[in-house]
Amino acid sequence: MQNTGSPYNLRFTDLPDFVVFNKRSGFRTHRVNENQLGLVEVLSSKIKQELFVVHRLDKETSGLILFAKNKTAAAALAQQFESRDVKKTYFFLTDQTLKKSDEAITVKSHIDKVDKKFANVLGKEDNSETKFTFVKKISDSIYLWKAEPITGKPHQIRLHAEKIGIPVLGDHEHGGSPWFRLALHAAEITFSFDGKTQNFKAPLPYCFENRVELLGEFVANEYSDLNAFMPLEKGQTYRLYHRTNQEVEIRADLYGSIIWVYWYKKDAPTEDDLSSLSEFCKKHELDYVVRHMINRGTGVGGKEQKDLYYEAAPEKWTAKEHSLIAELRRDQGFSPGLFLDQRDNRQFIKDHSKGKTALNLFSYTSLFSVAAGVGGAKQITTVDASRTFLDWSKDNFKHNNLDPEKHEFFAQDSLLFLEGSIKRNRKWDIIICDPPSFGRTKTTTWKLDKDFPKLAKLMWSCLNGKGLILFTCNYEKWSLNDIQKQFEKALPKGQFKFQELPTPDLDFEFPDAYDNLLKGLIVKKN
């Protein structure tokens, strides 16, 4: 396990030549292009150790994955996987039954790509083999099986399970019934290294041993999964589940003492859903808020009440992000007041603000400004069109022992503020900009794709030499490459360079190219 004192430490087995990690479902093993990282790149960054892939798990498969720490170990371990000297044990769920399941079943087939998908190919010599053993009944309609692959072809267990009529639950590609995840887990691995037998085991996920149908059961599963590789500290903030999944239509975050659920289903949560969530919260000394997302046009500052469900959640509470303290509010819009996916970016600002001047545009509740203040910035200017958010921002300053009277707060459109700053010849060392894709005030309308060139030029004109712009957005029509190209068009050639944003913690998803997820970069003035 990491030993950094961070509330976002990772659990993993760390040995001189390799690490063993218990992967959550939804993480791909390695990058798919320069902008879309995989587990090996993120883990390498977080533990500050170059890692090498020696085998792979499908993106939706959870469980044990092995990474080498040097090329020699990588070659030796990869050779064992290639020569079938590594023993692997998986478990999976299915909702199908076999007439006779009390004996082990060996399945063989020829696996190859057909129309860009892996498939069992008839009429060809077998090149894959898996042994299946029935384990137990989990619920009225879900069954647990063990799978021991003798060979290591892509999708092998999934294809062989499909072949004998017990497709893996959640495996839409190979005949499985819809579920919130692919119910396949790499539970044990045994191999030899430096003359010693190495054996590692990962416990079964919560959903492999418990029913997951109601909201509270789903939250319990995600909480358990996250806690298995990132010990959850009381009072801190964590992302529980934000992956796009039509079978779920739920997103959930942990804000200190509150589980905050976004419910995207058409129908409201049932009494059973809420009762199960209440039961989970009581076990963990938490409360909950469920926001039914049925009126998104109201905007971040909307005050709709009819879609909010809670029991004992207070109107206001505080939670921590590392050492930063944020005030959260139950009924001030779709978010409680903190965008968790900016956590590592705020730490970057905190670590680079000492003695600097900082400008925070589209500031919302201004934890970026707080991060700069805690990091020792000598002057912070905070700009947002909403006076409500600026008052909230000042409360956040006070929670972190920062005097808002010593800094600047402007209730103004960010473009207008920048134009006025140029007239007054004002500049900053750091500019933080996280604009919405669309926004409207009483006098102006903001559209990121239309207004970005003007925004970029204005920020550049207000940036001191050697200064930096930290820019992020969630605009689903832009990839990271698109953002880079927009800056390259707007800024003077040869006078800046790009830097990647900090690697996100592993409670966050790895965004695909055009996902409506956070993306951005740092622009440094030469």
Side-chain angles (χ1 to χ4, degrees), residues 8 14 47 54 164-165 170 177 262 268 297 301 318 322 355 364 378 439 478 482 489 509-510:
Y8 307 102
D14 189 8
I47 69 173
V54 296
I164 60 174
S177 298
Y262 298 94
T318 60
H322 290 282
Y364 189 34
K378 63 182 179 181
W478 282 358
D482 292 326
K489 289 180 183 178
E509 60 283 297
F510 299 160

PDB file of all heavy atoms in Angstrom, residues 8 14 47 54 164-165 170 177 262 268 297 301 318 322 355 364 378 439 478 482 489 509-510:
ATOM      1  N   TYR A   8      -6.231   9.267  -0.106  1.00  0.00           N
ATOM      2  CA  TYR A   8      -6.512   8.578  -1.358  1.00  0.00           C
ATOM      3  C   TYR A   8      -5.418   7.565  -1.686  1.00  0.00           C
ATOM      4  O   TYR A   8      -5.123   7.287  -2.854  1.00  0.00           O
ATOM      5  CB  TYR A   8      -6.696   9.609  -2.483  1.00  0.00           C
ATOM      6  CG  TYR A   8      -7.724  10.651  -2.095  1.00  0.00           C
ATOM      7  CD1 TYR A   8      -7.337  11.921  -1.662  1.00  0.00           C
ATOM      8  CD2 TYR A   8      -9.081  10.343  -2.095  1.00  0.00           C
ATOM      9  CE1 TYR A   8      -8.277  12.866  -1.259  1.00  0.00           C
ATOM     10  CE2 TYR A   8     -10.029  11.278  -1.697  1.00  0.00           C
ATOM     11  CZ  TYR A   8      -9.623  12.522  -1.274  1.00  0.00           C
ATOM     12  OH  TYR A   8     -10.557  13.448  -0.876  1.00  0.00           O
ATOM     13  N   ASP A  14       3.146  -4.839  -2.907  1.00  0.00           N
ATOM     14  CA  ASP A  14       4.335  -4.229  -3.492  1.00  0.00           C
ATOM     15  C   ASP A  14       5.549  -5.093  -3.172  1.00  0.00           C
ATOM     16  O   ASP A  14       5.968  -5.200  -2.019  1.00  0.00           O
ATOM     17  CB  ASP A  14       4.508  -2.827  -2.917  1.00  0.00           C
ATOM     18  CG  ASP A  14       5.594  -2.033  -3.618  1.00  0.00           C
ATOM     19  OD1 ASP A  14       6.113  -2.518  -4.639  1.00  0.00           O
ATOM     20  OD2 ASP A  14       5.913  -0.930  -3.151  1.00  0.00           O
ATOM     21  N   ILE A  47       2.174   5.841  -7.862  1.00  0.00           N
ATOM     22  CA  ILE A  47       3.162   5.256  -6.945  1.00  0.00           C
ATOM     23  C   ILE A  47       4.590   5.666  -7.323  1.00  0.00           C
ATOM     24  O   ILE A  47       5.545   5.232  -6.698  1.00  0.00           O
ATOM     25  CB  ILE A  47       3.042   3.721  -6.882  1.00  0.00           C
ATOM     26  CG1 ILE A  47       3.467   3.061  -8.189  1.00  0.00           C
ATOM     27  CG2 ILE A  47       1.628   3.312  -6.518  1.00  0.00           C
ATOM     28  CD1 ILE A  47       3.514   1.538  -8.111  1.00  0.00           C
ATOM     29  N   VAL A  54       2.341  -7.232 -18.116  1.00  0.00           N
ATOM     30  CA  VAL A  54       2.757  -8.610 -18.423  1.00  0.00           C
ATOM     31  C   VAL A  54       1.567  -9.486 -18.812  1.00  0.00           C
ATOM     32  O   VAL A  54       1.742 -10.552 -19.384  1.00  0.00           O
ATOM     33  CB  VAL A  54       3.522  -9.250 -17.240  1.00  0.00           C
ATOM     34  CG1 VAL A  54       4.809  -8.505 -16.995  1.00  0.00           C
ATOM     35  CG2 VAL A  54       2.686  -9.288 -15.983  1.00  0.00           C
ATOM     36  N   ILE A 164     -21.626 -23.191 -23.395  1.00  0.00           N
ATOM     37  CA  ILE A 164     -22.328 -24.251 -22.655  1.00  0.00           C
ATOM     38  C   ILE A 164     -23.635 -23.757 -22.020  1.00  0.00           C
ATOM     39  O   ILE A 164     -24.264 -24.480 -21.251  1.00  0.00           O
ATOM     40  CB  ILE A 164     -21.426 -24.882 -21.576  1.00  0.00           C
ATOM     41  CG1 ILE A 164     -20.974 -23.843 -20.549  1.00  0.00           C
ATOM     42  CG2 ILE A 164     -20.238 -25.575 -22.229  1.00  0.00           C
ATOM     43  CD1 ILE A 164     -20.187 -24.439 -19.377  1.00  0.00           C
ATOM     44  N   GLY A 165     -24.032 -22.532 -22.361  1.00  0.00           N
ATOM     45  CA  GLY A 165     -25.341 -22.073 -21.934  1.00  0.00           C
ATOM     46  C   GLY A 165     -25.398 -21.351 -20.604  1.00  0.00           C
ATOM     47  O   GLY A 165     -26.482 -21.194 -20.026  1.00  0.00           O
ATOM     48  N   GLY A 170     -24.234  -9.698 -17.490  1.00  0.00           N
ATOM     49  CA  GLY A 170     -23.713  -8.406 -17.914  1.00  0.00           C
ATOM     50  C   GLY A 170     -22.859  -8.444 -19.169  1.00  0.00           C
ATOM     51  O   GLY A 170     -22.374  -7.399 -19.605  1.00  0.00           O
ATOM     52  N   SER A 177     -27.243 -11.718 -19.834  1.00  0.00           N
ATOM     53  CA  SER A 177     -28.372 -10.844 -19.526  1.00  0.00           C
ATOM     54  C   SER A 177     -27.869  -9.488 -19.032  1.00  0.00           C
ATOM     55  O   SER A 177     -26.781  -9.393 -18.461  1.00  0.00           O
ATOM     56  CB  SER A 177     -29.260 -11.479 -18.451  1.00  0.00           C
ATOM     57  OG  SER A 177     -29.807 -12.698 -18.913  1.00  0.00           O
ATOM     58  N   TYR A 262     -27.239  10.791  -7.772  1.00  0.00           N
ATOM     59  CA  TYR A 262     -27.950  11.339  -8.921  1.00  0.00           C
ATOM     60  C   TYR A 262     -28.773  10.200  -9.539  1.00  0.00           C
ATOM     61  O   TYR A 262     -28.215   9.191  -9.967  1.00  0.00           O
ATOM     62  CB  TYR A 262     -26.971  11.888  -9.963  1.00  0.00           C
ATOM     63  CG  TYR A 262     -26.124  13.028  -9.471  1.00  0.00           C
ATOM     64  CD1 TYR A 262     -24.852  12.800  -8.931  1.00  0.00           C
ATOM     65  CD2 TYR A 262     -26.579  14.332  -9.557  1.00  0.00           C
ATOM     66  CE1 TYR A 262     -24.067  13.855  -8.485  1.00  0.00           C
ATOM     67  CE2 TYR A 262     -25.795  15.396  -9.124  1.00  0.00           C
ATOM     68  CZ  TYR A 262     -24.541  15.147  -8.589  1.00  0.00           C
ATOM     69  OH  TYR A 262     -23.767  16.182  -8.150  1.00  0.00           O
ATOM     70  N   ALA A 268     -39.333   7.875 -10.159  1.00  0.00           N
ATOM     71  CA  ALA A 268     -38.659   8.218  -8.905  1.00  0.00           C
ATOM     72  C   ALA A 268     -38.222   6.965  -8.158  1.00  0.00           C
ATOM     73  O   ALA A 268     -38.767   5.873  -8.376  1.00  0.00           O
ATOM     74  CB  ALA A 268     -39.600   9.042  -8.033  1.00  0.00           C
ATOM     75  N   GLY A 297     -32.660  21.473 -17.144  1.00  0.00           N
ATOM     76  CA  GLY A 297     -32.594  22.783 -17.774  1.00  0.00           C
ATOM     77  C   GLY A 297     -32.548  23.924 -16.789  1.00  0.00           C
ATOM     78  O   GLY A 297     -32.259  25.060 -17.144  1.00  0.00           O
ATOM     79  N   GLY A 301     -27.528  26.399 -10.626  1.00  0.00           N
ATOM     80  CA  GLY A 301     -28.052  27.174  -9.503  1.00  0.00           C
ATOM     81  C   GLY A 301     -29.530  26.993  -9.261  1.00  0.00           C
ATOM     82  O   GLY A 301     -30.121  27.740  -8.489  1.00  0.00           O
ATOM     83  N   THR A 318     -19.982  20.224   6.139  1.00  0.00           N
ATOM     84  CA  THR A 318     -18.652  20.362   5.550  1.00  0.00           C
ATOM     85  C   THR A 318     -18.030  18.991   5.317  1.00  0.00           C
ATOM     86  O   THR A 318     -18.356  18.015   5.998  1.00  0.00           O
ATOM     87  CB  THR A 318     -17.700  21.186   6.441  1.00  0.00           C
ATOM     88  OG1 THR A 318     -17.566  20.544   7.706  1.00  0.00           O
ATOM     89  CG2 THR A 318     -18.217  22.598   6.608  1.00  0.00           C
ATOM     90  N   HIS A 322      -8.453  16.222   0.910  1.00  0.00           N
ATOM     91  CA  HIS A 322      -7.139  16.353   1.528  1.00  0.00           C
ATOM     92  C   HIS A 322      -7.309  17.273   2.744  1.00  0.00           C
ATOM     93  O   HIS A 322      -8.115  16.990   3.619  1.00  0.00           O
ATOM     94  CB  HIS A 322      -6.107  16.886   0.532  1.00  0.00           C
ATOM     95  CG  HIS A 322      -5.739  15.914  -0.544  1.00  0.00           C
ATOM     96  ND1 HIS A 322      -4.883  14.865  -0.336  1.00  0.00           N
ATOM     97  CD2 HIS A 322      -6.126  15.835  -1.834  1.00  0.00           C
ATOM     98  CE1 HIS A 322      -4.745  14.183  -1.462  1.00  0.00           C
ATOM     99  NE2 HIS A 322      -5.492  14.745  -2.386  1.00  0.00           N
ATOM    100  N   GLY A 355       3.298  32.604  -3.036  1.00  0.00           N
ATOM    101  CA  GLY A 355       3.830  33.891  -3.463  1.00  0.00           C
ATOM    102  C   GLY A 355       3.280  34.392  -4.781  1.00  0.00           C
ATOM    103  O   GLY A 355       3.733  35.423  -5.292  1.00  0.00           O
ATOM    104  N   TYR A 364     -17.693  29.213  -9.375  1.00  0.00           N
ATOM    105  CA  TYR A 364     -18.655  28.412  -8.630  1.00  0.00           C
ATOM    106  C   TYR A 364     -18.451  28.677  -7.133  1.00  0.00           C
ATOM    107  O   TYR A 364     -18.487  29.811  -6.693  1.00  0.00           O
ATOM    108  CB  TYR A 364     -18.507  26.940  -9.022  1.00  0.00           C
ATOM    109  CG  TYR A 364     -19.578  26.012  -8.504  1.00  0.00           C
ATOM    110  CD1 TYR A 364     -20.906  26.426  -8.352  1.00  0.00           C
ATOM    111  CD2 TYR A 364     -19.265  24.689  -8.176  1.00  0.00           C
ATOM    112  CE1 TYR A 364     -21.878  25.559  -7.881  1.00  0.00           C
ATOM    113  CE2 TYR A 364     -20.243  23.819  -7.705  1.00  0.00           C
ATOM    114  CZ  TYR A 364     -21.545  24.257  -7.556  1.00  0.00           C
ATOM    115  OH  TYR A 364     -22.503  23.403  -7.080  1.00  0.00           O
ATOM    116  N   LYS A 378      -0.413  35.159  -2.699  1.00  0.00           N
ATOM    117  CA  LYS A 378      -0.418  36.458  -2.022  1.00  0.00           C
ATOM    118  C   LYS A 378      -1.665  37.275  -2.348  1.00  0.00           C
ATOM    119  O   LYS A 378      -2.046  38.162  -1.582  1.00  0.00           O
ATOM    120  CB  LYS A 378       0.838  37.245  -2.385  1.00  0.00           C
ATOM    121  CG  LYS A 378       0.976  37.614  -3.851  1.00  0.00           C
ATOM    122  CD  LYS A 378       2.291  38.357  -4.097  1.00  0.00           C
ATOM    123  CE  LYS A 378       2.462  38.722  -5.563  1.00  0.00           C
ATOM    124  NZ  LYS A 378       3.768  39.417  -5.796  1.00  0.00           N
ATOM    125  N   GLY A 439     -24.198  28.736 -20.632  1.00  0.00           N
ATOM    126  CA  GLY A 439     -24.634  29.468 -19.458  1.00  0.00           C
ATOM    127  C   GLY A 439     -25.367  30.736 -19.850  1.00  0.00           C
ATOM    128  O   GLY A 439     -25.206  31.254 -20.961  1.00  0.00           O
ATOM    129  N   TRP A 478     -15.961  18.068 -27.609  1.00  0.00           N
ATOM    130  CA  TRP A 478     -14.516  18.283 -27.716  1.00  0.00           C
ATOM    131  C   TRP A 478     -13.751  17.176 -27.025  1.00  0.00           C
ATOM    132  O   TRP A 478     -14.073  16.778 -25.897  1.00  0.00           O
ATOM    133  CB  TRP A 478     -14.112  19.611 -27.076  1.00  0.00           C
ATOM    134  CG  TRP A 478     -14.400  20.821 -27.905  1.00  0.00           C
ATOM    135  CD1 TRP A 478     -14.944  20.858 -29.160  1.00  0.00           C
ATOM    136  CD2 TRP A 478     -14.160  22.181 -27.529  1.00  0.00           C
ATOM    137  NE1 TRP A 478     -15.060  22.157 -29.586  1.00  0.00           N
ATOM    138  CE2 TRP A 478     -14.587  22.994 -28.612  1.00  0.00           C
ATOM    139  CE3 TRP A 478     -13.629  22.790 -26.403  1.00  0.00           C
ATOM    140  CZ2 TRP A 478     -14.499  24.384 -28.596  1.00  0.00           C
ATOM    141  CZ3 TRP A 478     -13.537  24.181 -26.372  1.00  0.00           C
ATOM    142  CH2 TRP A 478     -13.965  24.970 -27.452  1.00  0.00           C
ATOM    143  N   ASP A 482      -8.955  18.436 -29.340  1.00  0.00           N
ATOM    144  CA  ASP A 482      -9.703  19.599 -29.816  1.00  0.00           C
ATOM    145  C   ASP A 482      -9.384  20.835 -28.973  1.00  0.00           C
ATOM    146  O   ASP A 482      -9.256  21.945 -29.505  1.00  0.00           O
ATOM    147  CB  ASP A 482     -11.205  19.315 -29.767  1.00  0.00           C
ATOM    148  CG  ASP A 482     -11.639  18.258 -30.768  1.00  0.00           C
ATOM    149  OD1 ASP A 482     -11.047  18.201 -31.859  1.00  0.00           O
ATOM    150  OD2 ASP A 482     -12.553  17.476 -30.446  1.00  0.00           O
ATOM    151  N   LYS A 489      -4.894  27.779 -32.118  1.00  0.00           N
ATOM    152  CA  LYS A 489      -5.461  28.765 -33.040  1.00  0.00           C
ATOM    153  C   LYS A 489      -5.519  30.154 -32.421  1.00  0.00           C
ATOM    154  O   LYS A 489      -5.318  31.165 -33.104  1.00  0.00           O
ATOM    155  CB  LYS A 489      -6.873  28.340 -33.464  1.00  0.00           C
ATOM    156  CG  LYS A 489      -6.940  27.152 -34.400  1.00  0.00           C
ATOM    157  CD  LYS A 489      -8.396  26.837 -34.725  1.00  0.00           C
ATOM    158  CE  LYS A 489      -8.508  25.602 -35.613  1.00  0.00           C
ATOM    159  NZ  LYS A 489      -9.932  25.263 -35.892  1.00  0.00           N
ATOM    160  N   GLU A 509     -13.199   7.507 -13.065  1.00  0.00           N
ATOM    161  CA  GLU A 509     -13.206   6.756 -14.304  1.00  0.00           C
ATOM    162  C   GLU A 509     -12.132   7.269 -15.240  1.00  0.00           C
ATOM    163  O   GLU A 509     -11.641   8.383 -15.111  1.00  0.00           O
ATOM    164  CB  GLU A 509     -14.579   6.867 -14.981  1.00  0.00           C
ATOM    165  CG  GLU A 509     -15.003   8.292 -15.335  1.00  0.00           C
ATOM    166  CD  GLU A 509     -15.486   9.084 -14.140  1.00  0.00           C
ATOM    167  OE1 GLU A 509     -16.490   8.717 -13.535  1.00  0.00           O
ATOM    168  OE2 GLU A 509     -14.833  10.097 -13.818  1.00  0.00           O
ATOM    169  N   PHE A 510     -11.757   6.445 -16.228  1.00  0.00           N
ATOM    170  CA  PHE A 510     -10.850   6.881 -17.278  1.00  0.00           C
ATOM    171  C   PHE A 510     -11.714   7.351 -18.447  1.00  0.00           C
ATOM    172  O   PHE A 510     -12.341   6.532 -19.123  1.00  0.00           O
ATOM    173  CB  PHE A 510      -9.959   5.731 -17.763  1.00  0.00           C
ATOM    174  CG  PHE A 510      -9.078   5.144 -16.698  1.00  0.00           C
ATOM    175  CD1 PHE A 510      -8.550   3.881 -16.849  1.00  0.00           C
ATOM    176  CD2 PHE A 510      -8.772   5.846 -15.545  1.00  0.00           C
ATOM    177  CE1 PHE A 510      -7.733   3.326 -15.876  1.00  0.00           C
ATOM    178  CE2 PHE A 510      -7.957   5.309 -14.569  1.00  0.00           C
ATOM    179  CZ  PHE A 510      -7.442   4.042 -14.742  1.00  0.00           C
TER     180      PHE A 510
END
